[in-house]
Amino acid sequence: MSPPRVLIIGCGVAGPAIALLLKRKGYSPIILEKVRQLGDVGGSLMLFPNGLKVLSLLGLSSLATETAPNLTCLRDISSNGTEIGDTKLPATWRAKYGQPACGVKRTALNLALKEACLDAGIPVLEGWKLKDIIETENSVTAIAEDGRMEEGAFLIGCDGIKSATRNLVLKGHGMQEEDTTFTNLTQAGGMSPTPSILKQTPGMMNWYGEGAHFIAYPISKTTTSWAITQRSNIEEVETWQQMSVSQLAVYKSNLLAESQTWCEPIQDLIKGSERLIKYGLFDRPQLEKEKWVSEAGRCVLIGDAAHPTSPHLGQGANQALEDCWHLARLLPDGEVEMERKTLKEMFLEFSGLRQPRTAALVRGARAQGERRVVSGTEECRRRDEALRRGWMDELAVEEKWESLLREPF
């Protein structure tokens, strides 16, 4: 019996991770990616212990943990420099969970995962844009816009917030997918030389000011990634592309003017960035767990294709990695034959397990974004005071992180 062929749509974080996990279980995965060549786009992401535990199974956690300072603290600060609250819990996470928390450049992670797949003999077909899916009693066929076809035993859709797989799965359920909704929040982000004030205690730093939230964390021994979230009535296209030289000069000048009353090291970070990206934050309606799985039962959604989230809790990639671990765990070894009904039951068990957790985190991230960015003296005072009260309950802070980081194993 030849290994079951698995079609994986998307080569971001979840696609290569689930491919590598299933390869080890005796499957024959193939990755189909719409981008013709993965390039240097996007910004950074924070890998928490729950996500790093999964990467460690693939031998890839050191990509982040040995190149970037491990977090030792979390801090909230007012834009005028007043301390709102902090914790040194991150310094204990490696001992407690087996992995720390650290930042990583998104493309470095993407390319390392892709390279690991190629090294494992997993084909990665780039420039392969999904158009349709046909499911039969015994197989599933993915059809590209240029007419190419790939057949497999089942298909995993992990092609992001604008997932073509999700649209096709919902179409099979008789549903019309709603367009992504602009949240009226935009982010701009860059990477800068780490200011001296941030070098001694590596942390995830949050600054709160008038109509803006600023976050920063290290992604190497010398580089800090940062992003500013603001409100906007103008919908920004989510391209993740770098600004041009002229755009960069104008935007940095505007940011510096807007943040001139903010404390150190905000202006140093803005000035030090040689590249910037700006993007809108979008949302999608929550999917019921049954809708993660195609009606015919040979397709399942994971990662942002199933539960797209705003970045305010830093859990997007980490939850996608949790998805990968649970799905690989629930599927039998590759030499075990599965009927379509059995496969669908396994997929529904997976979605039933994951949907409540991811839905709660998506709601939490959305609410966090709304709370962080407020305008007006009184609204800002209330926000900062609410944040301060939250830090005072040390047990609640610890329990919050425990609920996140003890997963998935």
Side-chain angles (χ1 to χ4, degrees), residues 248-270:
L248 175 65
V250 171
Y251 194 70
K252 282 177 68 171
S253 176
N254 290 337
L255 275 183
L256 288 169
E258 291 170 2
S259 62
Q260 60 183 333
T261 62
W262 286 50
C263 64
E264 292 184 293
I266 304 302
Q267 295 237 320
D268 286 343
L269 287 168
I270 296 171

Side-chain angles (χ1 to χ4, degrees), residues 11 15 42 99 107 116 118 128 153 160 219 267 272 319 330 334 360 388 398:
C11 192
Q99 294 291 337
T107 49
L118 295 175
W128 206 104
I219 57 170
Q267 295 237 320
Q319 288 306 308
L330 290 170
R388 189 171 290 108
E398 186 170 0

Side-chain angles (χ1 to χ4, degrees), residues 34 127-132 142-149 164:
K34 67 180 178 180
W128 206 104
K129 193 170 183 180
L130 182 67
K131 180 181 180 182
D132 203 1
I143 304 172
E145 286 192 351
D146 61 10
R148 285 179 289 171
M149 297 184 183

Side-chain angles (χ1 to χ4, degrees), residues 237-342:
V237 179
E238 184 189 15
T239 65
W240 303 104
Q241 298 294 322
Q242 303 288 347
M243 289 184 183
S244 68
V245 174
S246 59
Q247 289 173 324
L248 175 65
V250 171
Y251 194 70
K252 282 177 68 171
S253 176
N254 290 337
L255 275 183
L256 288 169
E258 291 170 2
S259 62
Q260 60 183 333
T261 62
W262 286 50
C263 64
E264 292 184 293
I266 304 302
Q267 295 237 320
D268 286 343
L269 287 168
I270 296 171
K271 290 175 184 176
S273 184
E274 295 183 356
R275 298 193 301 173
L276 279 176
I277 54 174
K278 186 181 181 184
Y279 44 91
L281 300 181
F282 291 80
D283 215 340
R284 274 195 187 276
Q286 178 179 308
L287 280 188
E288 299 173 358
K289 61 182 183 294
E290 293 82 7
K291 302 303 187 296
W292 290 28
V293 182
S294 63
E295 183 65 29
R298 289 194 175 272
C299 301
V300 64
L301 304 174
I302 67 172
D304 278 353
H307 47 81
T309 182
S310 54
H312 307 295
L313 290 180
Q315 277 293 309
N318 294 285
Q319 288 306 308
L321 288 165
E322 284 192 20
D323 284 351
C324 295
W325 186 81
H326 282 292
L327 182 58
R329 175 181 63 82
L330 290 170
L331 286 167
D333 290 341
E335 67 270 13
V336 177
E337 289 194 45
M338 288 180 292
E339 296 181 358
R340 181 169 61 89
K341 180 180 178 182
T342 304

